[in-house]
Amino acid sequence: MFDSSNDDASANYLIPRAVMNACLVNDKLNICHINVQSLCARRFSKFEELKLNFITSKVDIICLTETWLDDSITDATIEIQGYNLVRQNRNRHGGGVCVYFKQNISCKILKKSLGAISTNGRYETDFLLLEMQFNGNRFVLAVYYNPPQSDCSYLLRTHIEQFCLKYENSFFIGDFNTDIRKNTRKTNDFIDTIASMSFSCVNFEPTFFYNDGCSLLDLLLTNSPELILKFNQVSMPGISAHDLVFATLDFEKRVDLDGYWYRDYNNFNNHAFENALSRLSINEFLSIDDSDILLNTLNNHMFILHEQAFPVKFKKSFYKSWFNPDIERAIINRDIAYNAYKRSKSPEHRTNYNRLRNVVNYLTKTAKRDHDRQRINLNVPVRQMWKNIKK
């Protein structure tokens, strides 16, 4: 088995992880996005590879589109250590968005799409509109998956008017399925909309690659381009035909090495919480006539009580898995072959990439099977066997 004590050092050689760690700024807020084209494909092997690139990484917020999830896939099934998760599902056949964010970041859902609702036989845009808050910084983060046949220009304008005017900084990211390099009516409407609302696009290189060409579909839009300190993208051929795009935002953060922050819900002092709650003055609420102000006041008090009752703590993390050096080398070779094919588009390079991709899939499947067989020992007491299965 792979030596877990060397997990962090070894994982740094995964090409996407190495590129991100080389480019991103450690003491600033880092964000990324990729259209994963089904998060749980290949019996979760795709998710496991994706997860390896983010264990103890510099990325604070991971935005995924086309997750292809429904309620049968629980949050625990797609957990990434050190991150919380919010999601909006469509179904197991397409669409859907989700956001992972580190546990020292607060997230509030402002609005989300309705899921598997279609009009005129076409799926509507999937989105999560979020308020993100940490270290005194507060901003809007919106994540979108717009189906190819849909035009999301009006939706973006509505969201900006309804929510973003209340915040100084807003960031829209996702797969908009609108190639802003092309001169089409859909593209022109999209560009006119974001420009009229004082938003601009950060990236201008293709992000989606196919046999006959490439398109710029995965965008980062913002009304605060001066806060984008770094921007880049990297191929993740084991995950998607879309590139992963990532950026550093000019927000200060705490630097957490070899671990993660979490809220301690296990050591809850119920008596202290009830005493703090009883000290709230009912007269303060009765004197407020405006319902919006009343709700905001109540929320503020509840937020303070929550912070006091469930403090944020730091825990060192040690990642152990079925991942081994053979898989690591195969992934690196596969990604190098994919980049060669992307540059040349030659059939020979395509064949070589397909061969190495199949090697990764085979090694991953074999390693997971052997790992499970080793961990689940049937020649032990039933209680111990179920503990092994749970792990």
Side-chain angles (χ1 to χ4, degrees):
M1 289 300 296
F2 188 52
D3 182 3
S4 64
S5 65
N6 294 324
D7 276 358
D8 289 342
S10 185
N12 279 328
Y13 293 103
L14 294 172
I15 289 178
R17 179 189 174 97
V19 172
M20 286 190 292
N21 281 347
C23 295
L24 295 173
V25 181
N26 199 45
D27 59 350
K28 300 290 184 178
L29 185 74
N30 298 307
I31 185 172
C32 73
H33 163 264
I34 186 170
N35 179 325
V36 292
Q37 297 179 317
S38 180
L39 183 61
C40 299
R42 302 195 300 272
R43 297 184 178 181
F44 289 88
S45 291
K46 179 186 285 191
F47 170 70
E48 294 290 346
E49 182 179 332
L50 181 81
K51 183 168 65 172
L52 286 170
N53 281 283
F54 294 109
I55 295 294
T56 65
S57 78
K58 292 182 181 180
V59 178
D60 302 288
I61 302 175
I62 307 166
C63 306
L64 307 180
T65 53
E66 277 212 271
T67 52
W68 295 30
L69 298 177
D70 60 18
D71 292 341
S72 68
I73 304 297
T74 65
D75 288 355
T77 305
I78 53 172
E79 178 186 25
I80 299 180
Q81 186 184 52
Y83 293 85
N84 291 323
L85 169 65
V86 292
R87 55 196 261 202
Q88 177 57 28
N89 302 331
R90 186 201 288 176
N91 55 49
R92 297 294 294 275
H93 305 289
V97 298
C98 73
V99 176
Y100 293 89
F101 53 97
K102 286 195 172 175
Q103 294 171 329
N104 58 337
I105 299 174
S106 297
C107 175
K108 180 173 74 174
I109 298 177
L110 300 175
K111 192 172 185 179
K112 60 182 179 179
S113 53
L114 299 178
I117 304 297
S118 61
T119 57
N120 299 325
R122 296 180 178 179
Y123 281 106
E124 297 177 349
T125 303
D126 299 310
F127 65 87
L128 278 170
L129 198 65
L130 310 171
E131 176 192 288
M132 311 300 291
Q133 186 171 349
F134 77 109
N135 283 7
N137 302 293
R138 191 171 66 114
F139 60 90
V140 169
L141 173 66
V143 184
Y144 295 88
Y145 172 68
N146 184 57
Q149 301 83 7
S150 300
D151 185 345
C152 62
S153 299
Y154 178 76
L155 179 68
L156 295 184
R157 180 184 295 274
T158 301
H159 287 172
I160 294 171
E161 291 176 343
Q162 288 183 346
F163 298 100
C164 297
L165 297 180
K166 302 175 184 178
Y167 298 82
E168 183 177 356
N169 308 118
S170 299
F171 303 90
F172 289 6
I173 197 168
D175 180 359
F176 294 88
N177 265 307
T178 305
D179 192 341
I180 62 173
R181 305 178 307 160
K182 294 182 178 179
N183 185 17
T184 65
R185 180 176 178 179
K186 178 181 176 181
T187 296
N188 293 334
D189 288 345
F190 183 89
I191 293 174
D192 289 344
T193 295
I194 63 175
S196 66
M197 304 304 291
S198 299
F199 271 64
S200 59
C201 184
V202 172
N203 53 316
F204 298 97
E205 297 296 327
T207 60
F208 176 59
F209 299 87
Y210 46 94
N211 288 339
D212 299 326
C214 54
S215 302
L216 172 54
L217 305 180
D218 307 276
L219 309 175
L220 173 56
L221 313 174
T222 181
N223 63 349
S224 306
E226 71 281 359
L227 294 181
I228 309 295
L229 299 182
K230 302 273 188 177
F231 182 88
N232 213 320
Q233 61 192 76
V234 62
S235 300
M236 298 189 76
I239 307 299
S240 175
H242 293 255
D243 276 2
L244 179 138
V245 298
F246 55 94
T248 293
L249 310 184
D250 194 10
F251 295 125
E252 298 288 340
K253 72 173 185 182
R254 291 180 292 193
V255 180
D256 305 329
L257 301 176
D258 299 326
Y260 58 92
W261 291 88
Y262 72 101
R263 250 178 228 294
D264 187 3
Y265 288 100
N266 293 324
N267 299 312
F268 173 51
N269 189 331
N270 184 62
H271 181 69
F273 180 80
E274 289 181 350
N275 286 341
L277 189 62
S278 66
R279 288 196 294 270
L280 291 180
S281 173
I282 188 66
N283 293 327
E284 178 182 358
F285 299 101
L286 295 176
S287 63
I288 301 174
D289 297 327
D290 189 296
S291 59
D292 290 333
I293 297 177
L294 178 61
L295 178 60
N296 187 57
T297 302
L298 178 62
N299 286 339
N300 287 337
H301 281 295
M302 291 298 103
F303 177 78
I304 293 172
L305 288 174
H306 180 265
E307 293 291 306
Q308 293 174 344
F310 306 106
V312 175
K313 296 184 178 181
F314 183 77
K315 182 177 182 180
K316 288 190 174 183
S317 62
F318 302 93
Y319 182 69
K320 299 180 180 180
S321 81
W322 45 265
F323 189 77
N324 61 56
D326 290 337
I327 298 175
E328 178 188 321
R329 284 190 292 269
I331 288 175
I332 292 172
N333 292 334
R334 180 204 63 197
D335 290 359
I336 292 173
Y338 177 79
N339 289 328
Y341 163 68
K342 193 166 71 171
R343 289 192 300 268
S344 69
K345 296 294 183 182
S346 72
E348 293 80 7
H349 283 151
R350 176 71 185 183
T351 299
N352 187 45
Y353 160 65
N354 287 342
R355 179 181 64 82
L356 294 173
R357 178 196 62 194
N358 292 339
V359 169
V360 172
N361 292 342
Y362 171 77
L363 290 175
T364 299
K365 179 180 178 181
T366 303
K368 293 179 72 174
R369 181 196 63 202
D370 294 345
H371 176 267
D372 290 344
R373 286 178 177 175
Q374 181 179 357
R375 295 294 297 274
I376 303 174
N377 182 2
L378 299 180
N379 299 318
V380 296
V382 173
R383 178 176 295 181
Q384 183 61 44
M385 182 185 71
W386 282 109
K387 285 184 178 180
N388 295 340
I389 292 173
K390 185 176 180 180
K391 290 180 181 179

